[in-house]
Amino acid sequence: WLTNRKPMVSSSIALDDLPDDIALRILHYLDGVTLARLQQTSRRWDAQAGDEDLWRSLIQRRWKVHGQTTRVVIRASNVTWKSLFQQWSHSQRMPTSRCTGQRFPVLGRSYLSSCQLAAWLTVSPAEDCRLLRTQVLGANEEPVHGAVFRSLRLVVQNVSAGNHRWQLDLRDGVSVSLRSGRKLAANAYLAEGAGVSCAGSSCIVTLDAYDFVVLRPVIPLEGQALEVEPDALELIEEVFVVLKKTSSDAKICIGCTIVEETIWELYEQMPGGMWVFCPDKSRSGL
């Protein structure tokens, strides 16, 4: 039977032989770094990978912004879509949604280039900027009077174009490091983001290309003197979460350290002792 087999015919085709319309469709699956490198290979790919519609589409997928919003930015700043992508990448801009974006101050951020994961720590304060008073577990695991801080938001985004896929289990919560050196485990709730799949004792969030998740940790803090949110923020040093790569058992920890100088710039005490949140008063440039 071996002598009767038909010879195999290769169906491969060189990238340079592809028609322009097919090549452009393929380029839509690449990230910004790969597109910029491709532009340096030849005149043809400089034009193809520099297509303005390509970069506009990439911006909208990466930062979840609407076309009208980006067109206003382009007209106001008089830059190309590629330049805008480079500016937003360099500034590590947060994706835009009802819980995230430029309206929310960034208390800390981090980026793991090897894993193509980015994280931001922001705050959505209570109306009166006061903490919820309740019983919490103290240093000796005994119930003591304290406060619960639930205004922080941890945003985690998969910034790859598809070569990485990550999962996190909401049941694991988040970890919190205090400036005193103590570490806390905090429950985390999904404020917004990718779809959740719950089965048994797990509640899994999967982050595909450019997906992001907004976690709302509930942090118990011991202390009689804690009354307002800036008091709580001064105690917290870092908030982080563990993710698992779907293609292996590899786990990665990503989190954000709070930049202490920004805390009191965001809150202001009014006459009568009332506290207000003033995010527009300062932009730290984080």
Side-chain angles (χ1 to χ4, degrees):
W1 62 273
L2 286 175
T3 57
N4 294 328
R5 292 186 65 188
K6 295 181 179 180
M8 295 184 63
V9 178
S10 175
S11 60
S12 63
I13 183 172
L15 188 61
D16 287 333
D17 295 333
L18 290 173
D20 287 349
D21 58 334
I22 301 298
L24 194 57
R25 291 186 184 183
I26 295 175
L27 297 186
H28 274 275
Y29 292 95
L30 302 182
D31 58 38
V33 173
T34 306
L35 286 175
R37 289 174 178 171
L38 185 59
Q39 281 189 274
Q40 300 174 9
T41 60
S42 70
R43 290 183 179 178
R44 181 200 175 184
W45 294 115
D46 180 38
Q48 286 273 287
D51 183 83
E52 283 288 271
D53 287 338
L54 185 64
W55 287 95
R56 175 181 54 80
S57 174
L58 182 58
I59 285 174
Q60 292 173 356
R61 285 182 287 129
R62 166 76 182 271
W63 287 285
K64 314 300 180 183
V65 290
H66 299 296
Q68 182 177 358
T69 302
T70 51
R71 283 192 291 272
V72 170
V73 173
I74 285 291
R75 287 197 297 267
S77 55
N78 194 28
V79 296
T80 64
W81 292 107
K82 180 183 177 181
S83 297
L84 185 63
F85 179 92
Q86 292 171 329
Q87 290 176 17
W88 286 7
S89 295
H90 181 72
S91 64
Q92 296 182 18
R93 182 186 174 104
M94 205 181 349
T96 301
S97 70
R98 63 182 179 86
C99 295
T100 63
Q102 297 300 93
R103 298 178 295 115
F104 295 86
V106 177
L107 296 171
R109 59 160 53 90
S110 63
Y111 176 62
L112 301 179
S113 58
S114 60
C115 307
Q116 293 189 284
L117 284 170
W120 300 264
L121 197 61
T122 183
V123 62
S124 180
E127 187 174 349
D128 58 359
C129 301
R130 294 194 173 275
L131 299 171
L132 175 68
R133 306 295 300 178
T134 186
Q135 276 197 340
V136 301
L137 291 179
N140 299 320
E141 301 301 318
E142 295 291 332
V144 297
H145 195 66
V148 173
F149 186 35
R150 51 186 182 183
S151 295
L152 279 179
R153 301 291 183 268
L154 179 62
V155 184
V156 181
Q157 185 181 25
N158 178 2
V159 296
S160 77
N163 48 324
H164 293 281
R165 196 166 182 252
W166 297 92
Q167 289 182 334
L168 64 91
D169 193 336
L170 290 177
R171 306 287 176 90
D172 292 339
V174 301
S175 299
V176 180
S177 295
L178 302 183
R179 298 191 187 277
S180 64
R182 187 183 174 199
K183 296 186 182 300
L184 303 175
N187 292 329
Y189 299 92
L190 185 68
E192 188 180 20
V196 182
S197 173
C198 295
S201 60
S202 298
C203 200
I204 304 297
V205 177
T206 301
L207 299 180
D208 285 307
Y210 303 124
D211 282 345
F212 71 95
V213 63
V214 184
L215 300 176
R216 180 173 63 87
V218 177
I219 305 172
L221 294 168
E222 177 185 355
Q224 295 283 350
L226 296 176
E227 296 289 344
V228 294
E229 292 176 356
D231 289 334
L233 284 171
E234 280 200 313
L235 297 181
I236 300 171
E237 182 174 27
E238 185 181 18
V239 180
F240 52 94
V241 67
V242 175
L243 294 93
K244 184 175 80 73
K245 201 170 187 178
T246 58
S247 59
S248 67
D249 292 328
K251 292 186 177 181
I252 191 72
C253 179
I254 187 169
C256 299
T257 300
I258 292 180
V259 180
E260 195 172 2
E261 295 78 25
T262 66
I263 297 173
W264 293 99
E265 296 176 347
L266 298 174
Y267 294 86
E268 184 175 349
Q269 188 173 23
M270 305 298 288
M274 180 179 177
W275 286 85
V276 294
F277 185 65
C278 305
D280 295 329
K281 193 175 64 171
S282 171
R283 290 298 181 187
S284 62
L286 281 172

